[in-house]
Amino acid sequence: MLSALKTSSFLCVLFFMAVNLVVTLRFQPFIFNNDSLTYVETGNILVNGNGGVYPQRILKPLAPIIAVFLGSTSGRGTAVGLLLENVLFYLLITPLVYLLLLRMTRREIAAMFGAVCYISAYPILAYGITYFTELPSLFFLLAGFYGTIRFF
């Protein structure tokens, strides 16, 4: 598995990932919506007890907890922590997609093109690397698919 991550096709995927990340972070406007505000306020409740209570965020606390941890580690607050969380999961989803496609197709070139298409898709860039939480859920969905294909 780790030897597959040392190939030139995976390096090509990493190159496209880096370009996508730089272009998205540089040129995409980051706009808060109601969903983003509920995550940030739930994170603020976890940090200092201030903010609105949203039961749907308390029942699924992983995203606010990670956002609070990353925001307090960087010293920039929960909103930046939410953005850092999505960047982190974008970095984690890239090799996962490549390995999943490599396991399914058994061809490096097909896995490379499939992974580049996936990580460069508009929904991943527009809704993934922003103040939403779609990328962590996609990561865990794909990790489940990968585990199913690998072990069954």
Side-chain angles (χ1 to χ4, degrees), residues 85-96:
E85 175 183 352
N86 288 325
V87 169
L88 174 72
F89 277 100
Y90 184 74
L91 295 175
L92 292 174
I93 206 168
T94 301
L96 181 63

Side-chain angles (χ1 to χ4, degrees), residues 29-147:
F30 296 107
I31 301 169
F32 271 94
N33 68 356
N34 292 337
D35 195 37
S36 306
L37 286 174
T38 61
Y39 283 106
V40 171
E41 287 192 15
T42 303
N44 289 337
I45 287 174
L46 296 173
V47 172
N48 55 19
N50 295 335
V53 176
Y54 299 96
Q56 67 272 23
R57 300 297 169 242
I58 302 293
L59 294 174
K60 299 179 279 184
L62 184 62
I65 288 173
I66 295 172
V68 165
F69 174 73
L70 292 173
S72 63
T73 303
S74 68
R76 305 245 178 177
T78 308
V80 173
L82 189 60
L83 186 62
L84 289 174
E85 175 183 352
N86 288 325
V87 169
L88 174 72
F89 277 100
Y90 184 74
L91 295 175
L92 292 174
I93 206 168
T94 301
L96 181 63
V97 168
Y98 178 78
L99 290 173
L100 178 67
L101 292 172
L102 185 63
R103 178 87 43 188
M104 291 170 61
T105 63
R106 293 181 177 85
R107 295 183 60 211
E108 287 184 11
I109 195 78
M112 179 192 73
F113 282 122
V116 167
C117 287
Y118 187 85
I119 64 172
S120 300
Y122 175 77
I124 298 295
L125 296 176
Y127 305 116
I129 308 171
T130 186
Y131 293 111
F132 298 113
T133 57
E134 274 73 22
L135 272 183
S137 59
L138 281 175
F139 172 79
F140 290 114
L141 175 73
L142 291 175
F145 288 156
Y146 181 75

